[in-house]
Amino acid sequence: DRLHRWTLALMRTQDPARVPAVLLERLRHEFMIPMAGLRLWGVDAAHDQAEFTQPVSQDVKSFANSLNQPYCGVNSGFEAARWLSDEQGHGATSLALIPLSHGKPSQAFGLLVLGSPDPTRYTAEMGTEFLNRIGELASAGLVRLLPPDALRDGGGAD
């Protein structure tokens, strides 16, 4: 039911610029995730000043493109962890890093990061099927922020 409610919230968001905020707010609420953030690259120029388009290193982009499944585990100083903070100001000791992609072959255009001060919340041993689903749905909602030519060249958000 939580996944269904979260998906409906994304689908019902008519203004593409609001999708990142709705995605993160509802993700935190529905799944009780203490910290969540994201960065997108290659988005339409109309969104250049948004928080979610702040610069990321080439290493982050390469890392996102290399992921076949979400990374879950200890925060060993990932750049993406700096995108997070919780209401109490705690840092994330465990992370789930979920690539956001489109097209065939798949090209990453962002990274969704979930974090927790609990070192056991996201571990290397946990299954990633649910997080894969979150990534696919988030990608489908966020692809609207890409320029139209990126969608034509990349094959859309299949």
Side-chain angles (χ1 to χ4, degrees):
D1 285 344
R2 292 181 289 183
L3 182 61
H4 184 73
R5 286 190 300 267
W6 179 73
T7 303
L8 287 175
L10 289 180
M11 293 176 72
R12 290 177 176 154
T13 304
Q14 294 182 7
D15 178 4
R18 289 268 315 129
V19 172
V22 170
L23 182 149
L24 294 172
E25 289 165 11
R26 300 304 303 170
L27 197 60
R28 285 186 205 105
H29 174 76
E30 293 294 345
F31 302 104
M32 296 166 278
I33 295 172
M35 297 175 247
L38 68 90
R39 291 292 187 274
L40 305 176
W41 47 88
V43 298
D44 192 272
H47 307 291
D48 280 350
Q49 300 304 312
E51 174 72 21
F52 58 85
T53 64
Q54 295 306 301
V56 299
S57 70
Q58 188 58 46
D59 287 344
V60 167
K61 294 175 184 178
S62 296
F63 177 73
N65 260 320
S66 74
L67 290 173
N68 294 329
Q69 62 183 22
Y71 163 87
C72 297
V74 67
N75 175 12
S76 57
F78 286 101
E79 177 182 329
R82 294 192 301 259
W83 310 340
L84 302 173
S85 67
D86 67 2
E87 292 176 3
Q88 291 79 35
H90 296 118
T93 58
S94 66
L95 297 172
L97 302 172
I98 305 167
L100 303 170
S101 59
H102 74 94
K104 302 231 187 275
S106 182
Q107 282 290 204
F109 69 95
L111 188 66
L112 174 62
V113 56
L114 311 178
S116 176
D118 175 358
T120 63
R121 174 82 185 249
Y122 303 107
T123 66
E125 296 79 33
M126 69 186 294
T128 59
E129 182 61 33
F130 178 73
L131 295 174
N132 274 327
R133 224 21 84 96
I134 292 290
E136 291 171 357
L137 292 167
S139 295
L142 292 165
V143 77
R144 296 184 273 169
L145 298 166
L146 297 177
D149 60 330
L151 299 177
R152 279 193 300 277
D153 297 341
D158 320 270

